[in-house]
Amino acid sequence: MSWTAELLNGALDRWNETLDMIWELLTQSPDEFKGGAVWGTIVNINGAVQAIGYALLVLFFCLGICRSTINFRDFRRPEYALRHFIYFVAAKAAITYGMELMEAVFEIGAGIVNTVMSRLGGMSGASATMPQEILDAINDVGFLDSIPLWLVSLLGTLAITVMSFILILVVYGRFFKIYIYTAMSPLALATFGGESTSSVGKTFLKSYAGLCLEGVVIVLSCVIFSAVASTTPSVGGGDAVSMVWSYLQDVAFNMVMLTVMIFTSNAVVKEMFGL
């Protein structure tokens, strides 16, 4: 029956590798992801989109003046002209130094993530391993009893594999979102050129800040999972099928909770900080 044990151990090893990969990805900056090749492309796109951003800046600036001006006598008031001038200069600086702005916001989120990570040290405490008593019970199972044991093990393996895939998908998706936000940032930041359109730029920055803070929620979720997983899972009693089923129920419940928390990390950040 060693193949059944190998099936379960393979799924648990895949889960452990997924947690280690998540831990490694959360410590990387966008310019380090995949060796920086993707970041170089994003920088080039951002530079090309800047020209469009400058054109939109002029458009939004004129639109803001037209919407807030009753007559041309308003331009004689210094405070009126100064307010619109400040909007224009702020938007121009945001577009010109947009990459630095996006990196600065990301570094703030990364700093919080690294602070939390330094308190934990790693994901070694969250590693899942099969208890020896279950392995011994599996090896003593006869041929007929191995059929339901195989079905239980197959279901558990599929569930763990799917959850591992979801975790990696969410963390990778976070990097893709950061790249998209960074590449298209000149268009959103250009809306600061007009008083009436500046709310779009504010929403963009708040959404990007929430995206960067997703890493904090993911790390905290892993920390909580690590504390829960460090306790010995229940293996129950009776035959091998009952023991494996009881163990998989306990382990799978914790894994589902971690998967749900990481999958909904963006919603948690928005609810927590009102972004």
Side-chain angles (χ1 to χ4, degrees), residues 21-22 25 28 33-34 165-179 218:
M21 186 179 300
I22 290 175
L25 289 174
Q28 291 184 354
F33 183 68
K34 295 297 182 180
F165 177 78
I166 292 175
L167 294 184
I168 291 297
L169 183 64
V170 171
V171 178
Y172 266 75
R174 175 174 173 264
F175 269 106
F176 276 61
K177 291 179 185 177
I178 290 175
Y179 289 140
I218 294 174

Side-chain angles (χ1 to χ4, degrees), residues 156-192:
T157 299
L158 290 176
I160 295 173
T161 302
V162 170
M163 287 186 287
S164 301
F165 177 78
I166 292 175
L167 294 184
I168 291 297
L169 183 64
V170 171
V171 178
Y172 266 75
R174 175 174 173 264
F175 269 106
F176 276 61
K177 291 179 185 177
I178 290 175
Y179 289 140
I180 293 173
Y181 270 71
T182 304
M184 305 304 294
S185 60
L187 303 182
L189 296 176
T191 60
F192 282 112

Side-chain angles (χ1 to χ4, degrees), residues 65 68-81 83-84:
I65 292 178
S68 59
T69 302
I70 299 177
N71 52 59
F72 285 100
R73 292 181 180 179
D74 292 335
F75 286 102
R76 298 179 181 179
R77 293 156 44 192
E79 66 277 6
Y80 183 86
R83 185 173 74 250
H84 285 281

Side-chain angles (χ1 to χ4, degrees), residues 30-65:
D31 56 340
E32 295 174 346
F33 183 68
K34 295 297 182 180
V38 182
W39 183 251
T41 302
I42 296 302
V43 171
N44 294 332
I45 295 175
N46 181 276
V49 175
Q50 273 189 359
I52 304 176
Y54 289 133
L56 290 176
L57 169 60
V58 176
L59 175 62
F60 291 137
F61 176 72
C62 295
L63 183 62
I65 292 178

Side-chain angles (χ1 to χ4, degrees), residues 13 16 19 22 30 81 126 133 151 183 188 195 228 230 244 254 270 273:
D13 289 341
N16 296 334
L19 293 182
I22 290 175
E133 55 185 308
L151 292 176
E195 185 176 2
V228 174
S230 61
V244 171
N254 296 330
K270 290 182 178 180
F273 298 102

